[in-house]
Amino acid sequence: MHASSRFQGRSAGLGLALLSAFAFGGSGVAAKPLIEAGLDPLHVVWLRVAGAAVVMLPVAWRHRYLVRERPALLAGFGLFAVAGVQAFYFASISRIPVGVALLVEYLAPALVLGWVRFVQRRPVTRAAAVGVVLAVGGLACVVEVWAGLSFDLLGLLLALGAACCQVGYFVLSDHGGQDGRSGEGEGEQAEPPHPVGVIAYGLITGAAVLTVVSRPWGMDWALLGGSARMNGTDVPAWLLLGWIVLLATVLAYVTGVVSVRMLSPQVAGVVACLEAVIATGLAWVLLGEHLSAPQLIGGFVVLSGAFIAQSTAPKPPSGPVAAGAGTGAVAGPVEGELSHGRAPH
């Protein structure tokens, strides 16, 4: 009976992890038509984050103690994993294909390991180094460097900026896990903050930052009452926005967090790697963004390298260490649940 219950729980966890990967993978596909219809990428990001923040307000109220206990983590999640990653990602997909932008973000494990090795001066395993080399080599195939960098250079740099924002959040999470959360004189670690609560406040923080940066009062709101073209088909703009807010943000985060709790950060991270595959496939079918055979092979190599780097990243003596990918993994009780591949897209 116990074994059957564990099997059912694991199956449910895998199902939720897959649902989360599908939900996250669809964000760029739904956002790009809105951008092409005339909305500024920053305005689309603001609509997504602000809408999700409103939906998550009851959760934020329930976990309001986090504002007092973990302000640095909330600020880091809001600035880097929400505002930074999404702003750079949506700006990049306005210039380059969705699949390419997301695969560039999968350089995050390589960048994290670079931070560990050269800034923190901690040893990195040979397997992790191989994963980095694979990820970089695969990226060279994705952008087809032999063709003289045929992709928009600014678009690639924006996608790289999204990866760097993930690293910034992971590094902050690493320090956040080592900031003396033990009980006075007892050496007992305090209970970690609830990941859904951190997500809720991260969205609220991100929305506040993006309000200042994007200035939504200058947005052409009338565009939301019209339609956007998705591979030659007119789709209501409000429907795409609802997809981005409810499915690609709220549902994606909640199912992702629950799946990690039912499985493990490692298993959920493997499933999260499917996000890039899903995003590329959806962009192919719904947006007509076809990738060449070398690019598809390169994408597989990038994901393989990201997985190797993620699974072999060294762990610190205490607290979480970032080891994630385009949707990013963090080994630790809280941050692992927050962002095992989950810097939001």
Side-chain angles (χ1 to χ4, degrees):
M1 187 75 170
H2 181 66
S4 176
S5 177
R6 286 185 59 186
F7 176 77
Q8 291 177 354
R10 190 174 183 82
S11 298
L14 287 172
L16 289 173
L18 284 170
L19 178 59
S20 180
F22 268 99
F24 272 116
S27 65
V29 175
K32 190 157 188 172
L34 293 175
I35 295 171
E36 292 177 342
L39 282 176
D40 186 276
L42 275 178
H43 289 159
V44 178
V45 174
W46 179 83
L47 287 168
R48 177 188 186 182
V49 175
V54 170
V55 174
M56 296 293 282
L57 277 176
V59 177
W61 176 254
R62 181 178 180 181
H63 298 282
R64 56 191 179 277
Y65 66 91
L66 290 173
V67 176
R68 180 183 69 256
E69 295 184 0
R70 299 300 294 267
L73 179 59
L74 301 186
F77 192 78
L79 289 173
F80 292 104
V82 175
V85 170
Q86 292 193 44
F88 278 114
Y89 175 61
F90 278 18
S92 69
I93 66 173
S94 69
R95 309 181 68 96
I96 61 177
V98 170
V100 173
L102 196 52
L103 287 168
V104 172
E105 287 194 47
Y106 270 78
L107 283 179
L111 297 176
V112 169
L113 289 176
W115 174 274
V116 170
R117 178 65 183 87
F118 298 108
V119 178
Q120 296 184 333
R121 299 187 180 279
R122 299 212 314 268
V124 174
T125 65
R126 184 174 299 177
V130 170
V132 171
V133 172
L134 283 174
V136 174
L139 183 63
C141 294
V142 170
V143 302
E144 296 182 324
V145 292
W146 56 84
L149 201 63
S150 58
F151 277 106
D152 186 297
L153 179 59
L154 179 57
L156 292 174
L157 291 176
L158 289 169
L160 184 60
C164 290
C165 282
Q166 291 183 55
V167 174
Y169 169 66
F170 294 152
V171 170
L172 180 65
S173 297
D174 186 14
H175 287 290
Q178 304 177 50
D179 61 357
R181 300 276 166 212
S182 57
E184 301 228 357
E186 299 176 6
E188 295 181 1
Q189 198 145 29
E191 183 180 353
H194 196 286
V196 177
V198 177
I199 289 169
Y201 276 104
L203 289 168
I204 293 172
T205 303
V209 172
L210 288 168
T211 298
V212 176
V213 174
S214 67
R215 301 180 180 182
W217 47 86
M219 185 192 317
D220 186 359
W221 292 89
L223 289 172
L224 296 178
S227 60
R229 293 189 70 79
M230 179 177 280
N231 198 20
T233 302
D234 287 335
V235 180
W238 64 265
L239 183 61
L240 293 173
L241 181 60
W243 177 353
I244 294 170
V245 172
L246 298 177
L247 300 182
T249 307
V250 177
L251 177 66
Y253 269 116
V254 173
T255 54
V257 167
V258 174
S259 70
V260 172
R261 290 196 163 190
M262 298 179 74
L263 300 169
S264 69
Q266 290 72 27
V267 174
V270 172
V271 179
C273 285
L274 293 174
E275 181 191 336
V277 178
I278 292 166
T280 302
L282 289 175
W284 195 312
V285 173
L286 299 178
L287 300 180
E289 293 184 348
H290 296 180
L291 300 184
S292 65
Q295 287 175 314
L296 293 174
I297 295 172
F300 174 77
V301 174
V302 169
L303 295 178
S304 299
F307 170 70
I308 294 172
Q310 170 180 290
S311 59
T312 58
K315 296 179 181 179
S318 63
V321 164
T327 51
V330 181
V334 180
E335 286 77 6
E337 294 173 3
L338 281 172
S339 52
H340 216 291
R342 286 289 170 263
H345 297 122

